Amino acid sequence: MEYEIHWKRVFVLLGFVLVLSGFGLNFVLTSEPTHLTGYVVLEEGVRVSTEKLDPALVKELKEGNTENKVVIILEDTAGTTSPNEQRQQDAIDDVQEEFIDDLENDIDVEVETISTLEHKEADLIITKEFESTNAVAGEILTGDALVELAHNNDVKKIMLDYPVELVLDGSINELNAPSLHTLGITGKHNSVCIIDTGVDYTHPDLG
């Protein structure tokens, strides 16, 4: 059986495929990455991997807010998870100090207290080094700082630092209390005593 090649149709089809390929390539190069691609684009056009960024921080970045207060959770070592409290504390101090020293080789880092945040000329300001948690708090001021943190092997997670307010109906789910309620454990007829020097015992809610 002989086949007749319709060259005109072949060229038309080939041209159609090339046009579609061009549109696809243009979409990849110009469209803003979403959570599906694992990147977020900063104002200066820099792409940052979202692998270590929590959703709240990604949302702020997509809205154009590049200066954010964050909590940087560091990778644990054998010492930072030690059951010995003093050994754990020493290990956390060492990890935090080494982390900050390494950062200073690549970006401008300042270690200050929250009360002295007046001159924001650095890339990253470390405002707190936690004692019992392998993490530091700070403020990211430039895209360079975010890129460096996102690619840093010592960084486990970068969380947006923002005030959280929980009321009883919200905290119940956070404590997984409904799972106890299904077992008939509701706390009914049980009294709770809170001893705290900061409690105003004359407050009407405390009887």
Side-chain angles (χ1 to χ4, degrees), residues 71-91:
V71 174
I72 305 166
I73 302 175
L74 304 177
E75 291 286 356
D76 283 317
T77 65
T80 59
T81 57
S82 171
N84 183 289
E85 185 175 348
Q86 186 58 53
R87 187 177 302 170
Q88 181 190 52
Q89 178 63 66
D90 292 341

Side-chain angles (χ1 to χ4, degrees), residues 56-106:
L57 179 56
V58 172
K59 181 180 178 182
E60 289 294 317
L61 294 172
K62 287 185 176 181
E63 292 177 354
N65 302 321
T66 55
E67 296 186 7
N68 292 288
K69 294 181 179 180
V70 296
V71 174
I72 305 166
I73 302 175
L74 304 177
E75 291 286 356
D76 283 317
T77 65
T80 59
T81 57
S82 171
N84 183 289
E85 185 175 348
Q86 186 58 53
R87 187 177 302 170
Q88 181 190 52
Q89 178 63 66
D90 292 341
I92 289 176
D93 289 342
D94 291 341
V95 170
Q96 292 174 349
E97 183 178 354
E98 183 178 353
F99 167 69
I100 295 173
D101 288 343
D102 289 343
L103 277 182
E104 290 177 336
N105 294 327
D106 300 302

Side-chain angles (χ1 to χ4, degrees), residues 66-151:
T66 55
E67 296 186 7
N68 292 288
K69 294 181 179 180
V70 296
V71 174
I72 305 166
I73 302 175
L74 304 177
E75 291 286 356
D76 283 317
T77 65
T80 59
T81 57
S82 171
N84 183 289
E85 185 175 348
Q86 186 58 53
R87 187 177 302 170
Q88 181 190 52
Q89 178 63 66
D90 292 341
I92 289 176
D93 289 342
D94 291 341
V95 170
Q96 292 174 349
E97 183 178 354
E98 183 178 353
F99 167 69
I100 295 173
D101 288 343
D102 289 343
L103 277 182
E104 290 177 336
N105 294 327
D106 300 302
I107 58 176
D108 186 3
V109 180
E110 292 184 14
V111 180
E112 301 183 4
T113 60
I114 296 178
S115 60
T116 61
L117 293 181
E118 298 177 357
H119 306 290
K120 298 183 178 181
E121 299 176 354
D123 296 310
L124 172 68
I125 299 178
I126 301 296
T127 56
K128 184 176 181 61
E129 298 173 50
F130 295 99
E131 296 181 359
S132 58
T133 302
N134 193 22
V136 298
E139 188 168 2
I140 296 175
L141 301 177
T142 67
D144 290 340
L146 182 60
V147 171
E148 180 62 32
L149 291 172
H151 290 86

Side-chain angles (χ1 to χ4, degrees), residues 185-193:
I185 304 174
T186 63
K188 188 176 182 179
H189 303 307
N190 290 311
S191 299
V192 177
C193 177

Side-chain angles (χ1 to χ4, degrees), residues 7-76:
W7 291 107
K8 185 176 181 180
R9 293 182 181 178
V10 171
F11 284 124
V12 170
L13 180 60
L14 182 59
F16 182 70
V17 171
L18 290 175
V19 169
L20 288 180
S21 300
F23 276 120
L25 180 61
N26 182 66
F27 175 78
V28 171
L29 294 177
T30 60
S31 61
E32 287 196 6
T34 64
H35 63 285
L36 297 177
T37 62
Y39 289 90
V40 63
V41 179
L42 305 182
E43 289 182 348
E44 51 267 42
V46 178
R47 292 188 178 191
V48 181
S49 171
T50 59
E51 180 182 359
K52 297 181 180 180
L53 312 184
D54 81 319
L57 179 56
V58 172
K59 181 180 178 182
E60 289 294 317
L61 294 172
K62 287 185 176 181
E63 292 177 354
N65 302 321
T66 55
E67 296 186 7
N68 292 288
K69 294 181 179 180
V70 296
V71 174
I72 305 166
I73 302 175
L74 304 177
E75 291 286 356
D76 283 317

Side-chain angles (χ1 to χ4, degrees), residues 134-174:
N134 193 22
V136 298
E139 188 168 2
I140 296 175
L141 301 177
T142 67
D144 290 340
L146 182 60
V147 171
E148 180 62 32
L149 291 172
H151 290 86
N152 192 301
N153 292 329
D154 294 326
V155 174
K156 184 176 183 179
K157 196 75 175 178
I158 308 173
M159 313 288 293
L160 183 67
D161 188 7
Y162 59 95
V164 177
E165 296 182 3
L166 282 179
V167 292
L168 187 58
D169 60 348
S171 61
I172 287 178
N173 292 327
E174 294 293 329

